Amino acid sequence: MTDKKGNIILKVVFSFLVAGVLLYFCFRGVNWSDFAAGLKGCRWPFAILSMIIGAGAFLFRGLRWRQLCAPLDPSTKALTTYNAVCVGNIANFVAPYLGELVRLSIVTGRSRKSPEGKPVLGADKVLGTMALERLLDVLSLGLLLLLLLVFKWNEFGTFFSEKIFVGSKASTALLTAGAILLAGFALVVFLACRLKEKSRFFARIHGFLLGLLDGFRSFLGMDRKGLFVLYTLLIWACYWFQIVLALSAMPALASLGLADALFLMLAGSLASVAPVPGGFGAFHYVIALALSSLYGFPWELGMAFAVLAHETQALAMIITGGASYVSEMIRKK
């Protein structure tokens, strides 16, 4: 148990160190008077509205996730999945992906019990629904990026080809790590299927994988699939218009349009794969780089916008996450 706690502490410390290094390089050489000037003229009603619209995505995520859980456990309430999403958001500020464990704990804890006393919606099935959600988000992000590059390659193609993908060691390392993880998972599945009759260990893994598959297949048994698609569209619309309103909040950037906001949203979303808590540093760097290299805005203005967009969203996460945490405590009592 001590070793496990030590590993968790090391991971948390490492993620904060990475975030700190990224923030250092983001703000290194920043002219603070110019940075302050960029925020000084902020139109705060737009910033507050941006925060509210961004928080709307959490609601639609909770409703969408409930649809995936319902075929496995019809007693799952929308409030449970919404609270799990919001509390998971603030857990991610502590360490990357810690929020996934929190979401898993809340939903399984709220599931009705089987005659054997186990949750009907067990950890394996919940993980399956979460994996399906993440896959759909990745596919949605990829589709939006593809559409943007097809119709706006002349405006935005150079940034992605030169700054994000081609020649990026981080992208190469990420693809390599993904391939290794995929190969490792395939090996575990193969061994579990072949050795489930001979080994209790692999029999348990096989049972867990079957539960994971049940969660992944929950989409097939889901009612009102069109509503699921609508929730997905609304989630990305919230993210998009959150950026639109954040741009409107800064007079120097208010001339940028819907396509520009979509580009910045996608660029910022790609930064979310960095192993840092809450996206600190990675988001700021990518957004400031995009605004300075593609539009010619001063780095300080780009950083000011990144701080405004990111920290208003972080505040929305803290408010909704805190409220959902209190809600769960009251429900337990």
Side-chain angles (χ1 to χ4, degrees), residues 214-281:
D214 285 340
F216 206 81
R217 292 185 303 192
S218 61
F219 179 82
L220 300 177
M222 182 178 61
D223 294 330
R224 299 184 295 175
K225 294 181 176 63
L227 186 60
F228 181 90
V229 174
L230 177 61
Y231 287 147
T232 301
L233 293 175
L234 289 172
I235 289 167
W236 287 100
C238 285
Y239 291 148
W240 185 4
F241 282 94
Q242 175 204 352
I243 299 296
V244 170
L245 290 165
L247 289 171
S248 300
M250 302 191 71
L253 301 176
S255 61
L256 299 182
L258 292 174
D260 303 300
L262 179 61
F263 159 70
L264 292 171
M265 181 204 75
L266 294 173
S269 297
L270 291 173
S272 65
V273 300
V276 293
F280 284 96

Side-chain angles (χ1 to χ4, degrees), residues 111-152:
S111 177
R112 63 185 175 87
K113 300 299 187 287
S114 67
E116 294 79 18
K118 295 181 179 180
V120 172
L121 196 54
D124 47 4
K125 295 179 181 180
V126 176
L127 279 173
T129 63
M130 292 165 63
L132 179 58
E133 265 206 312
R134 288 292 173 260
L135 176 61
L136 291 171
D137 286 339
V138 170
L139 292 176
S140 300
L141 178 63
L143 178 60
L144 288 172
L145 183 59
L146 178 63
L147 291 174
L148 181 73
L149 294 180
V150 166
F151 293 102
K152 295 286 184 177

Side-chain angles (χ1 to χ4, degrees), residues 43-55 238 241-242 245-246:
R43 295 183 285 195
W44 292 106
F46 283 103
I48 294 172
L49 188 56
S50 171
M51 183 176 71
I52 294 172
I53 294 294
C238 285
F241 282 94
Q242 175 204 352
L245 290 165

Side-chain angles (χ1 to χ4, degrees), residues 302-321:
M303 285 303 304
F305 172 75
V307 167
L308 177 70
H310 187 272
E311 272 49 76
T312 51
Q313 183 71 348
L315 181 58
M317 289 181 178
I318 292 170
I319 293 172
T320 56

